[in-house]
Amino acid sequence: DSGVTQTPKHLITATGQRVTLRCSPRSGDLSVYWYQQSLDQGLQFLIQYYNGEERAKGNILERFSAQQFPDLHSELNLSSLELGDSALYFCASSTTGEQYFGPGTRLTVT
Amino acid sequence: GEDVEQSLFLSVREGDSSVINCTYTDSSSTYLYWYKQEPGAGLQLLTYIFSNMDMKQDQRLTVLLNKKDKHLSLRIADTQTGDSAIYFCAETPGSSNTGKLIFGQGTTLQVKP
């Protein structure tokens, strides 16, 4: 158990819909990262927050957004969903460098 | 550029040693990591090495870093069936200043009894 929690574990929704994925980092970790894992793209960095502020952006679509709240939990919002957004979404947290990953949310868009 | 390459598949017999290889392109990488992913599970951090080190040993795991050739390897001694999983190499690009990870495609390790 990494100490990072993600909810929900599975999510099935239709094209065009909007969903919110939630992540709670390990106690004391200020950085939260979001990654997408898909069969064709592999593991891709999406976005990083540090203590509530956006720190870096990767291959994140404009339809996707994230935020980190004062209690340090983070949410990833995915809107206007397309079939190609079906993937595993991981959250990771860190303090000193090494990142610890949550169990992931499997999103299926039908 | 930021790119990490791994071979896709490795098959070994139980009790043998496994060596999983990885190459990366960013010569200013600060940390290099090995993660393990079992079917239907998240990513488990196995070990990591700082770029100024050549080797790190942790029980059955040995990480070797050749910075000149930008080559990283993970050796698993006495491989067990429970080691069957996908192993990802990842780097923290030195140029990014953010800690984001760049992952390889993953190497599927199959351990035959």
Side-chain angles (χ1 to χ4, degrees), chain A residues 7-46:
Chain A
T7 54
K9 199 175 167 87
H10 300 279
L11 202 46
I12 301 174
T13 190
T15 53
Q17 295 298 304
R18 173 190 167 94
V19 296
T20 298
L21 314 185
R22 184 188 166 103
C23 167
S24 292
R26 291 187 320 157
S27 177
D29 283 355
L30 299 178
S31 274
V32 169
Y33 303 78
W34 286 97
Y35 293 86
Q36 179 194 59
Q37 185 178 35
S38 62
L39 280 173
D40 53 343
Q41 299 284 334
L43 268 159
Q44 300 251 318
F45 166 72
L46 294 178

Side-chain angles (χ1 to χ4, degrees), chain B residues 10-18 76-81 83 109-113:
Chain B
L10 176 66
S11 181
V12 301
R13 290 255 172 233
E14 192 173 19
D16 287 350
S17 290
S18 308
I76 306 172
D78 187 25
T79 313
Q80 303 297 305
T81 52
D83 295 322
L109 175 64
Q110 179 189 66
V111 183
K112 295 179 182 175

Side-chain angles (χ1 to χ4, degrees), chain A residues 9 33 35 37 43 45 48 55-57 88 90 96-104 106, chain B residues 31 33 35 37 40-45 48 88 92 97-105:
Chain A
K9 199 175 167 87
Y33 303 78
Y35 293 86
Q37 185 178 35
L43 268 159
F45 166 72
Q48 178 200 359
R55 174 67 70 90
K57 259 186 176 177
L88 255 175
F90 288 109
T96 54
E98 59 269 28
Q99 292 179 30
Y100 294 89
F101 281 72
R106 182 171 293 281
Chain B
Y31 286 92
Y33 301 85
Y35 283 87
Q37 186 177 31
L43 292 158
Q44 176 193 353
L45 176 62
Y48 63 94
F88 290 93
T92 302
N97 200 32
T98 67
K100 71 176 185 183
L101 293 174
I102 305 298
F103 285 89
Q105 315 94 304

Side-chain angles (χ1 to χ4, degrees), chain A residues 56-109:
Chain A
K57 259 186 176 177
N59 299 324
I60 187 165
L61 299 170
E62 282 191 18
R63 300 183 285 108
F64 296 1
S65 65
Q67 52 185 324
Q68 186 179 27
F69 295 86
D71 67 352
L72 300 177
H73 92 271
S74 178
E75 292 181 356
L76 179 68
N77 301 295
L78 315 176
S79 61
S80 303
L81 285 166
E82 302 175 0
L83 294 177
D85 298 327
S86 295
L88 255 175
Y89 292 84
F90 288 109
C91 159
S93 74
S94 75
T95 294
T96 54
E98 59 269 28
Q99 292 179 30
Y100 294 89
F101 281 72
T105 293
R106 182 171 293 281
L107 174 65
T108 303
V109 182

Side-chain angles (χ1 to χ4, degrees), chain B residues 59-105:
Chain B
Q59 299 182 340
R60 291 190 299 122
L61 305 179
T62 303
V63 178
L64 293 177
L65 174 60
N66 180 329
K67 206 170 173 188
K68 174 175 162 289
D69 294 337
K70 299 190 197 110
H71 182 266
L72 183 74
S73 67
L74 174 70
R75 178 177 179 268
I76 306 172
D78 187 25
T79 313
Q80 303 297 305
T81 52
D83 295 322
S84 293
I86 303 176
Y87 290 80
F88 290 93
C89 166
E91 65 162 351
T92 302
S95 55
S96 75
N97 200 32
T98 67
K100 71 176 185 183
L101 293 174
I102 305 298
F103 285 89
Q105 315 94 304

